[in-house]
Amino acid sequence: DLELNLFISTVAITQAGEPNLTMARLLAPDLSDQELLRLPTVLAGSGQQIAEAVLGYQERHGITYFTVLEQDMDAFSTVIALLR
């Protein structure tokens, strides 16, 4: 079976304030902050919002697994707990 991966450049669980978009800017330097926040590789919002986004990517695009950077593993573990 085909497996599809989505590399996540930023995971920011936040209720307010701006997420750290440093890695996303390295990958897409010509985009504005608002454009970066709309990329599927940038997950920002509450844990529940991010979990819903992940489920949406799985359902709409058939993404079977996600890769996150080491710096975002703790934040993404919160999302994994919500998905279980």
Side-chain angles (χ1 to χ4, degrees):
D1 291 338
L2 179 66
E3 292 192 14
L4 299 175
N5 175 316
L6 181 61
F7 167 72
I8 304 299
S9 65
T10 303
V11 178
I13 296 179
T14 178
Q15 298 296 339
E18 295 297 315
N20 182 346
L21 297 173
T22 303
M23 181 58 72
R25 279 193 193 97
L26 290 173
L27 298 171
D30 296 332
L31 298 182
S32 69
D33 284 0
Q34 290 305 315
E35 290 169 320
L36 289 173
L37 289 169
R38 288 193 299 267
L39 292 175
T41 61
V42 175
L43 299 176
S46 70
Q48 188 62 43
Q49 289 170 322
I50 293 173
E52 290 170 8
V54 166
L55 287 174
Y57 296 144
Q58 288 176 323
E59 291 172 5
R60 282 190 304 277
H61 306 293
I63 304 297
T64 52
Y65 67 100
F66 298 81
T67 302
V68 298
L69 296 170
E70 184 176 356
Q71 66 195 29
D72 294 323
M73 290 176 93
D74 285 340
F76 201 67
S77 70
T78 301
V79 175
I80 291 171
L82 290 169
L83 292 171
R84 291 186 176 153

